[in-house]
Amino acid sequence: MKSIWDSFRLDGKRSFVTGSSRGIGKAIAMALGEAGAEVIFHGSQPGEKLAATLEEAKKKKIQCRSVTGDLSDPEQVQHLISSVGEIDILVLNASVQKYQRVPEFNMKEFETEFRVNVGSAFLLIQGFLPGMLQKKWGRVISLGSVNQWKQSPRLAVYAATKSALCNLIQNCAREYGKDGITFNNIAPGVIATDRNQAVLSDPQQSAEILKLIPAGRFGQAEDMAGLALLLCSEAGSYLTGSDIPVAGGRQL
Ligand code: NAP
């Protein structure tokens, strides 16, 4: 008889996690790999972090390789789709986040943020969906943010990209629910990764932010991994169109 743990296994599944050279993407990719999936790691360009992550995964006996490409460039996204090949699991994790007030944004910066955070997600879904439809099985997860609900003066553009991404995902959930493909959004709170290092290493700023988090601590990248695994596995097959904060209560 099958145990509940079997329904979390991902043996035989192929996964692609954008922005998995480090941070949350890396933690999710490692979890999928440890559950038996083949993992295709990704970074914007070749570098030490991506190489070290791949090495770490190989040591864990995860079947893996890496690809690189700038997601702000649609041609590079198309190249990624063909070099990755068919997959069962797509994790839309990479993003650009510019702390800047609205009047300071120029159109190029605005477009870059939308191209990486929303445009590449659209192209990747478009590219990988036909294979999932053929197999009648697929998992797509996007990384949103508590900024979808919690407004911040310097993150208006970033928050708008995350709400747009979540909306895209939820519309796809409705459209492909009968095809065995689930689409869900994970919305992290304040997670201690490279992008927050400057703010969180400032004692005054970090103390102010900490007051807003009911759990009383900043999240770690690995805090996202359990939910991601659930959403990617058979155990999560009845979860679709969900938008789930993993934020220590910061969404309240
Ligand atoms: P991170 O540590 O800053 O890592 C970003 C990843 O995205 C890296 O792998 C980076 O590749 C890749 N990337 C960045 N720009 C790219 C581009 N133009 N083309 C291709 N790849 C690109 O990120 P994180 O903090 O783990 O965040 C992961 C996700 O969670 C993001 O969607 C973020 O918006 C979301 N999130 C994070 C937090 C948080 O507090 N950390 C909170 C809410 C939501 P390279 O290594 O090559 O640069």
Side-chain angles (χ1 to χ4, degrees):
M1 204 170 69
K2 269 193 162 190
S3 94
I4 181 67
W5 300 117
D6 294 329
S7 65
F8 283 89
R9 292 293 309 173
L10 296 176
D11 305 283
K13 303 294 185 199
R14 292 191 86 225
S15 64
F16 175 46
V17 184
T18 68
S20 44
S21 54
R22 53 201 169 101
I24 293 170
K26 174 185 170 184
I28 291 176
M30 289 290 180
L32 303 186
E34 286 178 36
E38 178 185 343
V39 181
I40 298 155
F41 287 87
H42 163 259
S44 63
Q45 56 193 348
E48 278 174 23
K49 289 215 169 171
L50 182 59
T53 294
L54 197 67
E55 216 33 57
E56 193 181 321
K58 283 181 178 163
K59 278 196 187 131
K60 290 182 178 180
K61 311 267 184 248
I62 293 170
Q63 195 188 342
C64 59
R65 67 185 174 95
S66 67
V67 292
T68 57
D70 183 346
L71 297 178
S72 70
D73 175 357
E75 272 184 31
Q76 292 193 41
V77 179
Q78 294 300 351
H79 181 71
L80 279 171
I81 292 166
S82 47
S83 60
V84 165
E86 277 201 11
I87 52 167
D88 307 284
I89 298 167
L90 171 62
V91 183
L92 301 162
N93 167 78
S95 87
V96 170
Q97 176 180 3
K98 195 152 196 173
Y99 282 91
Q100 200 163 255
R101 288 176 190 275
V102 166
E104 291 152 9
F105 260 91
N106 64 42
M107 212 45 210
K108 192 168 181 295
E109 291 164 332
F110 176 87
E111 277 175 14
T112 299
E113 209 146 319
F114 265 87
R115 273 174 192 256
V116 175
N117 301 6
V118 189
S120 75
F122 170 71
L123 290 173
L124 292 168
I125 291 169
Q126 206 177 42
F128 292 119
L129 195 58
M132 293 181 183
L133 283 169
Q134 232 169 24
K135 282 185 260 189
K136 290 272 177 198
W137 201 96
R139 297 285 186 267
V140 181
I141 297 180
S142 58
L143 271 294
S145 167
V146 283
N147 289 112
Q148 292 166 222
W149 311 288
K150 294 287 173 189
Q151 291 73 28
S152 158
R154 290 186 304 141
L155 287 175
V157 172
Y158 172 75
T161 67
K162 292 299 187 182
S163 288
L165 175 62
C166 180
N167 199 286
L168 173 69
I169 287 293
Q170 288 180 320
N171 274 277
C172 289
R174 183 170 279 279
E175 200 165 342
Y176 300 105
K178 288 198 174 68
D179 296 298
I181 306 169
T182 67
F183 289 81
N184 292 287
N185 187 61
I186 297 176
V190 185
I191 315 303
T193 62
D194 291 351
R195 72 177 57 202
N196 291 327
Q197 207 182 7
V199 174
L200 298 187
S201 55
D202 177 301
Q204 212 178 336
Q205 284 193 76
S206 74
E208 282 304 312
I209 299 170
L210 208 52
K211 283 186 207 157
L212 305 170
I213 305 172
R217 68 169 175 92
F218 300 117
Q220 297 300 316
E222 290 71 23
D223 287 322
M224 308 302 123
L227 176 60
L229 177 58
L230 168 66
L231 294 174
C232 288
S233 67
E234 243 358 87
S237 63
Y238 203 54
L239 271 159
T240 195
S242 305
D243 181 12
I244 308 172
V246 183
R250 172 69 185 107
Q251 78 281 4
L252 297 170

